Amino acid sequence: MKENRQVTGRIFDIQRYSIHDGPGIRTLVFLKGCVLRCRWCCNPESQEFQVQTMRIEGKEKKIGRDVTVEEVMEEIQKDSRYYERSGGGITLSGGEALCQPEFAKALLQECKEAGFHTAIESTACVPYSVIETILPYLDLYLLDIKHRNSDKHREFTGKSNTLILENAKRLALEAKELVIRVPVIPTFNDTIEEIREIAEFAAALPNVKKLHLLPYHRLGQDKYSGLGRSYLLDGYVPFTEEDLKPLILEAEKTGLCCQIGG
Amino acid sequence: MKYHSEPIKKSPRIPKLIEVLYKDLPEIEADRAILLTESYRQTEGEPMVTRRAKAFVHILDQIPITIREDELIVGSATKKPRGCQVFPEFSFTWLEDEFDTVSKRSADPFYISEETKQSLHTVYQYWKGKTTSELATSYMAPETLKAIEHNIFTPGNYFYNGVGHVTVKYWEVLKIGYRGIKEKAQKELDACQPGDADYAKRTHFLQAVIMSCDAVCRYANRYADLAEQLADQCMDAQRKAELLQIAANCRHVPEYGADSFYEACQSFWFVQMLLQIESSGHSISPGRFDQYMYPYYEKDLREGKLTVEQAQEYMDCIWVKLNDLNKVRDAASAEGFAGYSLFQNLIAGGQNTKGVDVTNDLSFLSIEASMHVALPQPSLSVRVWNGSPNEFLLKAAELTRTGIGLPAYYNDEVIIPALMNRGLTLEDARDYNIIGCVEPQKAGKTEGWHDAAFFNMCRVLELVFSNGMDHGEQIGIPTGDVTQMQTFEEFFEAYQKQMCYMISLLVNADNAIDVAHSELCPLPYESSMVDDCIKRGKTVQEGGAVYNFTGPQGFGIANVTDSMMVIKKLVFEEKKLSMAELKEAMDANFGQGISSEQAQKVTASVVKELLTAGKKVTEEQIAKIFLMALHTEVSAEQKAYYERICSMIEAVPKYGNDLEEPDGMAREVAYTYTRPMEQFKNPRGGIFQAGLYPVSANVPLGQQTGATPDGRLAHTPVADGVGPMAGRDTHGPTATANSVAKLDHGIASNGTLFNQKFHPSALKGQQGLQNFVSLIRTFFDKKGMHMQFNVVSKEVLLDAQNHPENYKTLVVRVAGYSALFTTLSRSLQDDIISRTEQGSL
């Protein structure tokens, strides 16, 4: 649609050949701005909606640019043949893409019209009325459930989980496909009990069959100092496959199909 | 169709065979050189083709033979595993010069005993003035020799060695044996009439073929005798039975057609190995092994005489044996072909002459064999087209995931029309295989002279900046003072002109060498297995093959493209930098200081200028100028100035990022090499066709190249293959692949080479494999020609550099081939490490 193409939004990156966030070969569009402030966030430059400056390897880089849907589509189209061959498509990521609902909707709609598989990687920490607007154009919702305990959730992310869990229940009924993802973070949710609670919640959601455990990594660490912020998870070592085995075994007891990584 | 795609258990024999092979440093042996020279001394004055055949006969009758422990397929070119023979008829002085360094050099060291040195020294007395390399030199134009001396291109491969680079009619030997081939030659001979115009050449050639065939049969029988002797002494009942079977095989093949899959394997091996005794050429490529071996496999399996596991074991044995052959090259060439590589390219899958997909069980077993042995040889390739079964490509991807850089993937949809454009019939084009690194051709009908030279496109760019001068000498044609050029088109045209001139010199060099080979080293044995030599009554070297090509390869496209973009944007469009400023910055190596090599070059130019101006220059003055050039201090202010220039250069769009302008430029730049090339003819009645790949020469030849306008520093590697310059492609593998696909691969019918490096995480799980296959398929949809991969993490490679002892068998992809990482020179290792890594987390 013509009017969709002129809708503008603020993104901070477009990453091609992404193969861990949805099926096939995908292009990830990273939208700027987020409702949560997760301590482990590997894209801290995504959190603020304002355009920022970050120092990377001694050089200053402007983070965030305003683009039209048309401009993003041009970039996405470059890999269209790869999507066709692999059953891939595009994934909106962030930040929280739903912080820019008009842009997200317009972009997804354009992608659907181009015949691409569409996905979103989202906190779902927005009113359901916002989520509803994109569902007609969405094939896959990758939803983070980080913790069952609201206080702990607030402590590590800045917000309670109530809205997220409520939205999850409705999404399970209304999204074309819903996959639950759990970032496994040391000192936050890396015990068997905590993972079990999340897995049980996910398993109880109608239509949900898959659970992804996303192990904590430190790749975003340098960005914190680049933004003049301190990294609160300093000193934690990434998990090995062995570390995650008991967690995945526990999650599998719920009958969900579980995997490490996206 | 149902394939045997499941993993097959590896026989315990295989690791044992490999252990024997890699126990010691490979050794140079003198037997062949001694026997060859003995024979040559006795045949002075006879026709060359007869002398060649008699020498071949003498070698095969006398050379020591050996059966290694636990072997099922026998036939070794040397007494020691992975040893090599030498070939003084092509060139020898380099080896004599390197007697004392060859065991210690960084690329491909070989042990050589004092006794061998002595024998070779004696032999070499005979060869002075009689080699192909000396004759070729005398045939070259003076300006050609100068261009070679100045490293604009290097025809080193065939200048110093045999040609190789062929796939013969293995299937014919399997079917009718040498007895059958001999009969064909005899029939032609019987038809010769004394009054025929070509009677002299024809009859001698056919007699040479017959002599060679007989010699091969006797040679196989020597192995049969040896196997029987060993069986006699053997106490182990199982091994005794194996040896007796080996004896029976060697009595029957390759003299007669093979009656079983096992015999076919043995017969194949004799052909493969003996081609490399006749001549030192590398890239003797088995080609479509899965096709010509299949009838024997299928029949034995159907009749219950063979199990899949047995077939796999025989194939694994062949795979190991392919690593038993070796070749010593001069130190400089060893850098360009690093990794003891013989480039024996074996290809699986693809379509038949009718356009039907003929992937079969042996295609799968070929991949399985490479998984089992995990060695650099054979250079395994797979053919991909729209009809390729997905499970086959998944199996290939699984091998890629092991990190040994195999297989390489080739696109039928581009190669078939490219070959037809060169005059192959549709049927022949569909039946193509790959020679050596990446060069397509029709087996058993082609003398492709692939890999005929390395042509450094960056050096030509340097010549444009210096108006054809190099080290104070006029090497190229004068194309004008660059600082006076008014438009980008004018500059580009100057580059095209300089390219055309240098290409003509390259052609001159290759043709001189070609003639030298036909006069001094015709190969009757090889010619007995290439159409239409027997019918035409001449060797492949004299134009006996149906298809004749010469395929020299150009490299440096990415650097020239990025340089052209810099000149176009900064100098002519935005006018941010004058040509004089750019030239000065390059001479100053962008403020990074200059090496003594660069200083020498500057000194030579200055001295030449002084001389031209009629001034006298003393040696003392020259030394002073040199020191001045070497120690030019770069002030902080100048540093900042050059940094500004570098950041301007950095901001210009680069090839490899799926951007229209630089990618379009790359296409035009590639044409400056590929288009003039196809205008030239070779002495065998064929044409030149360009390839675009550097093997591993982008590293050593980059060391001879000054700074380029794209910001590449002096004496650092040039970009590898047709890919972007390392680290400049920043938009992921699909963007890089899209850029590369925009080149015109069809015109580069001698092959193009596209390396990608992946982090192992990108191929994780079944989904990782499937995405990887989709990436290849899409690149091929977009008319890419070839793709190959390194899947090994940077951490592993760095660790292997620091602890080579822990990585003795780490195989990586270098260029059109794989090699043991720790045997590569440090600079080549660094080059591989610096390639852009895709798909890391």
Side-chain angles (χ1 to χ4, degrees):
Chain A
M1 283 203 315
K2 224 172 178 183
E3 52 271 33
N4 271 342
R5 295 179 168 261
Q6 296 315 315
V7 177
T8 61
R10 184 167 293 170
I11 64 169
F12 67 95
D13 200 7
I14 294 179
Q15 197 182 307
R16 295 160 68 177
Y17 200 74
S18 296
I19 50 173
H20 301 296
D21 298 291
I25 296 171
R26 314 186 70 81
T27 296
L28 252 61
V29 183
F30 292 87
L31 281 71
K32 201 156 156 53
C34 192
V35 259
L36 301 185
R37 290 294 177 270
C38 302
R39 287 186 190 178
W40 60 86
C41 182
C42 61
N43 288 330
E45 77 276 30
S46 73
Q47 293 175 348
E48 302 294 330
F49 181 70
Q50 298 92 288
V51 174
Q52 289 166 288
T53 312
M54 183 164 74
R55 281 191 79 80
I56 306 166
E57 289 165 4
K59 281 185 189 162
E60 298 218 322
K61 196 183 163 196
K62 205 180 100 188
I63 304 292
R65 59 191 165 106
D66 293 331
V67 290
T68 62
V69 166
E70 186 166 18
E71 285 165 336
V72 179
M73 283 306 291
E74 222 170 273
E75 195 64 19
I76 290 173
Q77 290 281 8
K78 287 183 169 178
D79 280 356
S80 58
R81 189 84 187 121
Y82 296 90
Y83 315 146
E84 285 167 34
R85 274 291 191 185
S86 67
I90 76 136
T91 302
L92 298 190
S93 184
E96 170 52 62
L98 294 178
C99 288
Q100 302 181 50
E102 289 79 24
F103 180 63
K105 172 180 164 266
L107 187 52
L108 290 171
Q109 192 174 356
E110 282 303 299
C111 286
K112 263 343 281 176
E113 276 173 22
F116 304 148
H117 181 273
T118 55
I120 190 169
E121 195 188 16
S122 164
T123 65
C125 196
V126 294
Y128 195 78
S129 57
V130 170
I131 297 177
E132 251 172 349
T133 63
I134 63 157
L135 290 184
Y137 316 110
L138 191 73
D139 294 312
L140 171 65
Y141 202 115
L142 299 163
L143 170 63
D144 266 18
I145 305 277
K146 306 173 209 295
H147 212 288
R148 290 294 305 276
N149 180 308
S150 186
D151 292 336
K152 204 163 181 189
H153 196 277
R154 183 177 287 119
E155 187 192 340
F156 276 77
T157 71
K159 279 237 155 71
S160 145
N161 62 3
T162 316
L163 179 60
I164 299 172
L165 300 181
E166 282 310 307
N167 284 340
K169 288 176 195 160
R170 292 191 63 180
L171 271 172
L173 293 167
E174 293 171 25
K176 215 177 270 174
E177 188 186 357
L178 176 66
V179 170
I180 303 298
R181 305 177 122 191
V182 188
V184 183
I185 309 299
T187 71
F188 173 54
N189 63 1
D190 60 337
T191 64
I192 287 191
E193 294 68 40
E194 285 162 312
I195 295 297
R196 184 199 305 137
E197 282 173 17
I198 297 171
E200 280 171 352
F201 174 83
L205 294 169
N207 306 321
V208 169
K209 295 186 183 67
K210 289 182 196 160
L211 181 84
H212 297 168
L213 294 185
L214 310 179
Y216 161 77
H217 62 76
R218 293 184 292 194
L219 297 175
Q221 189 167 352
D222 293 344
K223 295 182 186 171
Y224 282 85
S225 53
L227 290 164
R229 291 172 54 180
S230 52
Y231 185 57
L232 295 173
L233 287 178
D234 210 1
Y236 290 103
V237 187
F239 297 107
T240 62
E241 295 236 346
E242 280 302 299
D243 296 335
L244 290 175
K245 230 179 210 163
L247 300 183
I248 206 132
L249 286 175
E250 189 61 31
E252 275 170 347
K253 286 183 190 162
T254 61
L256 289 171
C257 175
C258 301
Q259 69 181 64
I260 296 172
Chain B
M1 177 144 179
K2 183 84 193 80
Y3 307 103
H4 200 290
S5 57
E6 297 303 308
I8 298 167
K9 210 168 166 286
K10 172 159 72 171
S11 152
R13 183 188 310 273
I14 304 308
K16 282 196 267 177
L17 291 174
I18 294 172
E19 205 191 316
V20 171
L21 215 54
Y22 285 88
K23 216 159 53 191
D24 298 312
L25 193 66
E27 183 173 344
I28 295 172
E29 298 185 8
D31 300 297
R32 180 190 178 277
I34 295 169
L35 293 165
L36 174 89
T37 312
E38 276 174 13
S39 172
Y40 261 70
R41 283 184 198 279
Q42 288 160 10
T43 59
E44 299 272 1
E46 293 183 42
M48 195 44 87
V49 76
T50 310
R51 299 184 70 191
R52 291 295 301 170
K54 284 186 175 173
F56 186 62
V57 169
H58 188 57
I59 292 166
L60 294 201
D61 285 346
Q62 303 293 331
I63 198 165
I65 60 168
T66 175
I67 293 175
R68 308 200 199 289
E69 273 169 63
D70 295 311
E71 282 187 333
L72 292 181
I73 307 289
V74 303
S76 296
T78 50
K79 292 169 284 197
K80 297 274 179 62
R82 279 201 314 148
C84 73
Q85 298 290 349
V86 293
F87 298 77
E89 65 266 47
F90 299 104
S91 67
F92 62 87
T93 40
W94 58 269
L95 184 56
E96 190 148 37
D97 292 344
E98 292 174 27
F99 269 169
D100 296 326
T101 52
V102 70
S103 68
K104 288 173 242 152
R105 68 189 194 189
S106 67
D108 299 1
F110 278 86
Y111 172 76
I112 180 166
S113 72
E114 287 307 317
E115 191 194 338
T116 302
K117 284 183 197 173
Q118 193 49 50
S119 312
L120 288 178
H121 177 74
T122 316
V123 159
Y124 286 167
Q125 303 313 308
Y126 174 79
W127 287 101
K128 289 206 170 82
K130 296 191 177 74
T131 62
T132 53
S133 125
E134 286 155 297
L135 183 61
T137 309
S138 68
Y139 278 143
M140 285 181 204
E143 53 269 43
T144 302
L145 290 166
K146 227 173 207 181
I148 294 172
E149 192 189 314
H150 286 256
N151 302 309
I152 310 301
F153 54 84
T154 142
N157 205 3
Y158 304 158
F159 201 178
Y160 297 116
N161 302 285
V163 175
H165 288 83
V166 72
T167 300
V168 299
K169 295 185 287 175
Y170 295 93
W171 57 90
E172 189 169 83
V173 181
L174 300 185
K175 205 169 168 192
I176 63 175
Y178 284 107
R179 195 164 271 255
I181 293 174
K182 198 177 116 177
E183 277 166 16
K184 281 171 84 172
Q186 188 64 51
K187 213 171 125 201
E188 291 296 325
L189 189 60
D190 293 343
C192 285
Q193 299 296 325
D196 292 345
D198 58 352
Y199 179 85
K201 283 226 152 191
R202 178 186 283 268
T203 51
H204 281 89
F205 165 68
L206 292 168
Q207 280 159 356
V209 166
I210 292 167
M211 268 191 270
S212 305
C213 290
D214 282 338
V216 172
C217 299
R218 283 199 301 277
Y219 180 78
N221 277 292
R222 288 178 65 201
Y223 270 94
D225 295 342
L226 178 62
E228 278 167 10
Q229 277 171 30
L230 291 172
D232 263 355
Q233 302 152 9
C234 186
M235 306 305 285
D236 179 85
Q238 195 197 332
R239 182 62 185 157
K240 192 185 188 94
E242 284 172 6
L243 285 163
L244 288 173
Q245 182 59 52
I246 289 169
N249 290 347
C250 295
R251 288 265 177 254
H252 193 240
V253 294
E255 184 167 359
Y256 300 93
D259 286 338
S260 67
F261 182 71
Y262 187 12
E263 276 190 1
C265 286
Q266 179 63 61
S267 188
F268 159 83
W269 179 249
F270 275 124
V271 179
Q272 182 64 15
M273 192 264 298
L274 289 173
L275 281 167
Q276 298 181 59
I277 292 259
E278 188 189 28
S279 158
S280 68
H282 64 71
S283 300
I284 306 278
S285 299
R288 306 192 76 178
F289 184 91
D290 61 343
Q291 300 306 312
Y292 55 75
M293 297 297 283
Y294 188 71
Y296 303 92
Y297 166 85
E298 192 274 331
K299 179 169 174 283
D300 281 7
L301 212 58
R302 183 162 32 86
E303 293 176 359
K305 292 181 186 159
L306 180 79
T307 65
V308 177
E309 289 71 24
Q310 281 169 330
Q312 186 69 57
E313 186 175 18
Y314 298 141
M315 281 172 64
D316 290 0
C317 285
I318 288 178
W319 261 235
V320 175
K321 283 301 275 180
L322 287 162
N323 291 278
D324 194 354
L325 296 168
N326 214 337
K327 175 182 170 80
V328 60
R329 302 178 173 89
D330 64 280
S333 303
E335 293 258 350
F337 297 98
Y340 296 111
S341 246
L342 282 177
F343 313 92
Q344 299 165 104
N345 202 309
L346 188 151
I347 201 161
Q351 52 196 296
N352 64 7
T353 55
K354 294 175 189 152
V356 178
D357 191 81
V358 282
T359 306
N360 61 34
D361 277 4
L362 294 186
S363 320
F364 285 84
L365 263 59
S366 296
I367 293 174
E368 188 77 10
S370 286
M371 286 185 186
H372 282 175
V373 305
L375 292 173
Q377 296 292 309
S379 289
L380 186 71
S381 300
V382 300
R383 281 179 52 168
V384 182
W385 70 299
N386 273 326
S388 295
N390 193 51
E391 53 191 309
F392 177 57
L393 297 185
L394 280 176
K395 179 98 183 173
E398 255 181 78
L399 175 59
T400 300
R401 184 164 64 187
T402 66
I404 65 170
L406 301 173
Y409 299 81
Y410 293 88
N411 188 5
D412 281 13
E413 316 282 6
V414 169
I415 292 175
I416 292 169
L419 291 175
M420 289 175 68
N421 184 42
R422 299 293 180 218
L424 270 71
T425 63
L426 175 62
E427 289 74 19
D428 281 348
R430 279 176 175 157
D431 197 26
Y432 82 88
N433 66 283
I434 297 295
I435 297 282
C437 290
V438 295
E439 306 96 273
Q441 59 97 56
K442 160 67 184 138
K445 279 190 174 180
T446 310
E447 174 67 340
W449 250 69
H450 312 283
D451 215 12
F454 295 122
F455 187 95
N456 187 347
M457 295 168 72
C458 293
R459 289 285 285 140
V460 177
L461 191 61
E462 280 193 273
L463 287 179
V464 175
F465 272 89
S466 63
N467 202 2
M469 302 284 284
D470 191 56
H471 286 66
E473 273 189 271
Q474 188 77 38
I475 300 306
I477 47 170
T479 47
D481 178 351
V482 284
T483 63
Q484 300 303 312
M485 291 180 181
Q486 299 302 312
T487 61
F488 174 70
E489 288 67 32
E490 199 181 331
F491 180 86
F492 196 82
E493 204 175 300
Y495 181 69
Q496 281 175 314
K497 276 189 192 151
Q498 199 63 265
M499 283 292 287
C500 282
Y501 176 69
M502 282 303 160
I503 288 168
S504 74
L505 298 189
L506 164 81
V507 166
N508 178 264
D510 272 344
N511 283 347
I513 300 168
D514 209 333
V515 171
H517 279 280
S518 76
E519 290 180 359
L520 294 186
C521 281
L523 304 175
Y525 173 60
E526 177 191 295
S527 303
S528 75
M529 296 171 281
V530 175
D531 283 338
D532 234 352
C533 291
I534 289 182
K535 278 248 161 66
R536 293 184 186 176
K538 54 183 173 186
T539 61
V540 291
Q541 288 67 35
E542 297 157 307
V546 174
Y547 301 116
N548 285 287
F549 298 106
T550 303
Q553 58 273 25
F555 67 96
I557 287 177
N559 300 95
V560 175
T561 300
D562 291 348
S563 296
M564 289 292 180
M565 285 298 293
V566 164
I567 293 164
K568 186 175 181 220
K569 290 278 159 195
L570 297 183
V571 178
F572 291 108
E573 282 179 12
E574 297 165 13
K575 301 193 193 308
K576 283 184 180 162
L577 200 63
S578 75
M579 196 70 102
E581 286 166 330
L582 178 60
K583 186 169 186 290
E584 189 277 331
M586 283 155 58
D587 285 341
N589 199 19
F590 300 103
Q592 297 297 309
I594 64 175
S595 65
S596 66
E597 208 173 319
Q598 186 78 354
Q600 265 176 25
K601 197 172 151 182
V602 173
T603 311
S605 311
V606 172
V607 171
K608 192 83 182 182
E609 267 173 44
L610 290 173
L611 290 173
T612 325
K615 291 180 183 146
K616 276 191 183 158
V617 193
T618 64
E619 272 194 30
E620 206 175 309
Q621 281 171 313
I622 294 176
K624 250 189 202 161
I625 298 169
F626 175 71
L627 281 178
M628 261 169 60
L630 189 61
H631 295 298
T632 314
E633 289 280 314
V634 183
S635 68
E637 203 178 301
Q638 275 174 310
K639 242 195 176 137
Y641 165 77
Y642 289 124
E643 263 168 33
R644 272 201 307 280
I645 292 186
C646 286
S647 50
M648 272 193 257
I649 290 174
E650 215 181 293
V652 174
K654 299 287 188 303
Y655 171 59
N657 295 296
D658 204 1
L659 300 168
E660 282 313 317
E661 203 178 356
D663 295 349
M665 181 71 82
R667 194 176 172 99
E668 293 308 315
V669 165
Y671 279 142
T672 66
Y673 184 70
T674 55
R675 277 194 172 146
M677 193 62 75
E678 57 186 5
Q679 309 302 321
F680 291 98
K681 295 190 166 55
N682 67 30
R684 284 168 283 112
I687 59 161
F688 278 71
Q689 56 172 349
L692 296 170
Y693 58 97
V695 193
S696 60
N698 62 313
V699 177
L701 299 185
Q703 279 165 10
Q704 300 161 350
T705 309
T708 36
D710 58 335
R712 183 195 135 273
L713 297 178
H715 318 307
T716 57
V718 166
D720 121 88
V722 288
M725 186 63 181
R728 286 190 196 151
D729 51 329
T730 54
H731 288 74
T734 56
T736 311
N738 286 356
S739 285
V740 172
K742 283 182 224 166
L743 296 173
D744 185 352
H745 293 261
I747 191 175
S749 47
N750 197 48
T752 66
L753 187 152
F754 177 34
N755 262 316
Q756 279 208 325
K757 195 164 87 179
F758 276 81
H759 192 273
S761 65
L763 277 79
K764 219 176 131 190
Q766 200 60 19
Q767 185 173 347
L769 289 180
Q770 190 60 64
N771 285 334
F772 176 76
V773 167
S774 302
L775 173 75
I776 297 168
R777 288 230 195 232
T778 312
F779 176 63
F780 285 175
D781 287 342
K782 291 170 179 269
K783 303 297 176 208
M785 193 171 193
H786 157 275
M787 214 177 189
Q788 62 184 28
F789 304 88
N790 261 318
V791 183
V792 54
S793 68
K794 194 172 190 163
E795 299 78 52
V796 169
L797 294 178
L798 288 171
D799 195 47
Q801 274 194 326
N802 296 327
H803 306 283
E805 66 281 5
N806 300 336
Y807 294 92
K808 269 192 170 166
T809 54
L810 174 65
V811 178
V812 295
R813 194 78 183 173
V814 182
Y817 63 104
S818 285
L820 298 170
F821 184 74
T822 54
T823 66
L824 304 175
S825 67
R826 183 82 185 192
S827 49
L828 187 54
Q829 290 180 350
D830 289 340
D831 184 61
I832 291 168
I833 291 171
S834 75
R835 289 177 194 163
T836 308
E837 185 171 273
Q838 306 285 12
S840 54
L841 282 169

